[in-house]
Amino acid sequence: MSEPRFLVPSTSLDLPALLALTGARLVGAERALEVTGVGSLEWASPRDAVFVEDLSGEPDRRAALAATDAGLCLVPPSEADFAPATAVVLASEHPRRAFLAIAAALFPSALRQTALFGPGIAAGAAVHPEARLEPDVSVDPGAVIGPGAEIGRGTVIGANAMLGAGVRIGRDSAIGAGAVVANALIGDRVVIQPGASIGHEGMDGAAAPSLGRVILQDDVAIGANAAVRRGRDRDTIVGEGSRVDALARIPRDVVVGRHCLIYGGLALEEGATVPDFSICGLPGELRRRPLKDIQA
C-alpha cells in the first residue's frame, strides 16, 4: 500500500509462511520473498500480494496481471502462465480465500474495532456503578453503559455508544461509535458497526408492545446503521457467524440461521425464519456467479 498511515502490518511473511498459510502450490523455482502488504494489480509494490480469479474472456485483466509489479501473485492454475516472471506465483483453487488469509495475517487489527483512546475506560464515559465489566474492557469517551449491563473481557465500546440496562455482551466483541444496544444478549466476537440500532421496538410499539429480546450469537457482524428489532412474540435471533450488512433491517420475531448473509438495504418480513447458510438480497451482478464463488 502506498501510505500505510492507518494500518501498519504487524509482521512480514516469507515464502514458507505464505505456503503454510494459504495451502497454495509454488509455480516455478523457490526464491527469497518478503510480503508486507496487499494490493491491486495496478498499484501493488514488490512487497505486496495480489490475486486474480479465472480471467477467461478478460484480455485487459490478463494484461494487467502480466504487467503488475507485485512480488506475489495468487492465481488459479489456469492463469499461472500469465503472471510476470518477476513475481513469485502461487497457484490455488481459491485465490481470493488465500489472499484474504494473507491480509488477515498481516493486518489483524483490521478485523475488529480498536479503542480510539486506548485500553481502559476513558474520561467522559459514563459507566453505571451496577454494571459489571471484566478486565481488559475498553470504553471510549461519551459511551453510556446502563445498570446491570455485563461486558466480557477484551470487548471495545466505541465513542457515544449506548448500552441499555441488563444488556450482556460476550468477550472480544466490538460496539461501534454511536451504536445503541438494548434488550439484547450478545455473544463472543460480535461486531456491531457504528450507528446500528439493536433491540428497540418498531414504530407501533405503543399499540403492540414488544416483550422479547434480541439474541446475537457468537461471531455475528451487524453493519453500520442496520436495525435489529426486539421480538414481540418470540426473541429475534441472528445465528452464529451470520452477517447483516449496512442499512439492513431485521424486524421483530425474525430468526436468522447460522452463517447467513443479509445484504445491505434489505428488509426481511416480520416473523420470517431464514435457514442456515442463506444469502438474502443478493445484488444483481453477483446473481450471475455461482454461489460457491461468492465470499461473504
Side-chain angles (χ1 to χ4, degrees):
M1 299 188 183
S2 59
E3 186 191 8
R5 177 181 178 88
F6 301 106
L7 289 171
V8 177
S10 63
T11 186
S12 62
L13 298 172
D14 60 13
L15 184 56
L18 290 162
L19 290 170
L21 183 64
T22 64
R25 175 178 57 85
L26 176 65
V27 178
E30 183 173 336
R31 54 181 150 166
L33 174 70
E34 184 180 29
V35 170
T36 59
V38 295
S40 64
L41 294 176
E42 296 80 5
W43 294 97
S45 78
R47 300 187 72 180
D48 286 340
V50 299
F51 83 98
V52 297
E53 295 180 310
D54 184 7
L55 298 179
S56 301
E58 299 186 55
D60 292 343
R61 291 289 291 163
R62 275 187 176 159
L65 171 61
T68 187
D69 291 327
L72 175 68
C73 294
L74 295 155
V75 300
S78 60
E79 303 296 334
D81 291 341
F82 299 96
T86 55
V88 172
V89 180
L90 298 185
S92 171
E93 296 297 333
H94 303 284
R96 179 193 296 268
R97 195 175 302 169
F99 177 83
L100 293 176
I102 292 171
L106 291 173
F107 302 99
S109 62
L111 296 174
R112 65 187 299 271
Q113 174 182 320
T114 56
L116 190 64
F117 273 52
I121 299 174
V127 180
H128 194 278
E130 295 178 6
R132 297 175 56 192
L133 280 61
E134 287 190 336
D136 301 325
V137 171
S138 296
V139 185
D140 273 334
V144 177
I145 300 176
E150 299 178 8
I151 304 175
R153 182 190 303 271
T155 290
V156 175
I157 309 299
N160 297 317
M162 194 283 284
L163 306 185
V167 165
R168 293 179 183 174
I169 300 176
R171 294 175 173 170
D172 296 315
S173 293
I175 310 300
V180 181
V181 181
N183 309 300
L185 304 178
I186 294 172
D188 296 338
R189 300 173 301 280
V190 170
V191 175
I192 297 175
Q193 292 186 349
S197 173
I198 309 296
H200 293 84
E201 297 184 354
M203 295 294 291
D204 59 347
S210 297
L211 304 177
R213 307 166 296 181
V214 166
I215 297 176
L216 304 182
Q217 295 181 356
D218 294 347
D219 300 302
V220 163
I222 306 294
N225 297 312
V228 183
R229 301 300 184 202
R230 67 185 298 192
R232 181 182 62 186
D233 301 324
R234 62 180 181 180
D235 291 332
T236 301
I237 300 173
V238 179
E240 175 186 14
S242 288
R243 302 288 188 264
V244 178
D245 202 1
L247 296 172
R249 185 168 67 87
I250 308 296
R252 59 193 180 192
D253 300 336
V254 167
V255 175
V256 175
R258 299 176 300 118
H259 303 290
C260 293
L261 178 58
I262 311 298
Y263 270 90
L266 179 69
L268 296 174
E269 294 183 6
E270 183 176 315
T273 297
V274 179
D276 294 348
F277 303 102
S278 294
I279 298 177
C280 301
L282 195 64
E285 64 272 15
L286 292 180
R287 290 195 186 100
R288 295 189 290 272
R289 299 176 57 190
L291 290 183
K292 67 181 178 63
D293 292 338
I294 296 171
Q295 303 295 320

